[in-house]
Amino acid sequence: MQYNVAQLLKAPIGTAFQADIHEEDVQLDSDLKILGAINGHVRMRRTDYGLLVDGWVDLTLSMVCDRCLKPFEQPMHITFEELFYPTIDVTSGVPVPPPLGEDEGFPIDEHHHLDLSEAVRQHLLLALPMPALCREDCPGLCPQCGHDLSLGPCQCQPEIDPRWGTLAELLQQRLPSQA
């Protein structure tokens, strides 16, 4: 997801460039496995500080359900808007300091290539579902035997907290006398 933006950096403020995104075999983070291609759209606008870049990407992640531990595919639609600033003046070749501070945007490299990968990665990490579930009503695993509860109930009896044991005994004593 790299673009040569040298001509756009030479253009007057307000000039825009748009492009479709289609990238195969992209890995944005070692902990995230992207299945298939990343598709989307990007728009770059020249500002007095550099480039304002916005757009969206669609991708599918391979994830593991936090409740039942089964792998599943999670489609994601990620929108982003970030400021990119030049590190080298496009006409003179002189290094340029960051206009707003280094925390205020992403640098454009010395060859005037803008790389969207880090911006998309950061927005993807913020958009990850917490918790990651294969389906909203996933029952998960039995905490005693590990049985997958989506396949049906297990034969385990619920554990009784020992602090409630006396109360359970009182309840058992009272129930038979009422019958």
Side-chain angles (χ1 to χ4, degrees):
M1 292 185 282
Q2 292 190 4
Y3 299 90
N4 187 331
V5 293
Q7 293 303 316
L8 189 56
L9 289 171
K10 292 179 186 177
I13 294 173
T15 304
F17 168 76
Q18 296 189 41
D20 289 327
I21 299 171
H22 180 79
E23 297 284 333
E24 299 279 344
D25 298 326
V26 175
Q27 285 308 119
L28 300 173
D29 194 289
S30 60
D31 294 336
L32 301 173
K33 178 161 174 53
I34 297 173
L35 304 173
I38 294 178
N39 295 302
H41 187 78
V42 65
R43 177 177 57 172
M44 301 176 200
R45 290 172 282 178
R46 178 73 168 102
T47 67
D48 52 349
Y49 295 115
L51 299 175
L52 180 63
V53 179
D54 64 75
W56 56 269
V57 292
D58 288 329
L59 53 92
T60 303
L61 290 177
S62 174
M63 300 184 82
V64 175
C65 181
D66 289 341
R67 288 188 187 157
C68 68
L69 304 178
K70 289 182 183 175
F72 70 100
E73 294 181 4
Q74 176 71 49
M76 304 280 298
H77 178 80
I78 308 298
T79 59
F80 56 90
E81 180 177 29
E82 294 293 341
L83 178 66
F84 285 79
Y85 59 88
T87 55
I88 302 290
D89 184 86
V90 72
T91 55
S92 67
V94 176
V96 178
L100 302 173
E102 299 214 12
D103 296 338
E104 298 295 322
F106 294 92
I108 300 170
D109 74 9
E110 64 274 1
H111 302 292
H112 310 296
H113 290 141
L114 183 146
D115 188 358
L116 288 176
S117 300
E118 181 60 18
V120 170
R121 183 189 77 82
Q122 288 183 17
H123 284 270
L124 174 61
L125 290 174
L126 290 173
L128 286 174
M130 295 288 173
L133 300 177
C134 60
R135 64 180 206 259
E136 195 172 313
D137 63 340
C138 177
L141 303 175
C142 172
Q144 291 175 323
C145 69
H147 175 73
D148 185 354
L149 297 175
S150 65
L151 301 175
C154 64
Q155 303 304 316
C156 296
Q157 296 298 320
E159 287 184 10
I160 297 176
D161 189 331
R163 296 173 290 183
W164 295 98
T166 306
L167 192 59
E169 289 173 17
L170 287 174
L171 184 61
Q172 288 299 326
Q173 291 171 4
R174 182 172 173 101
L175 288 176
S177 64
Q178 285 182 349

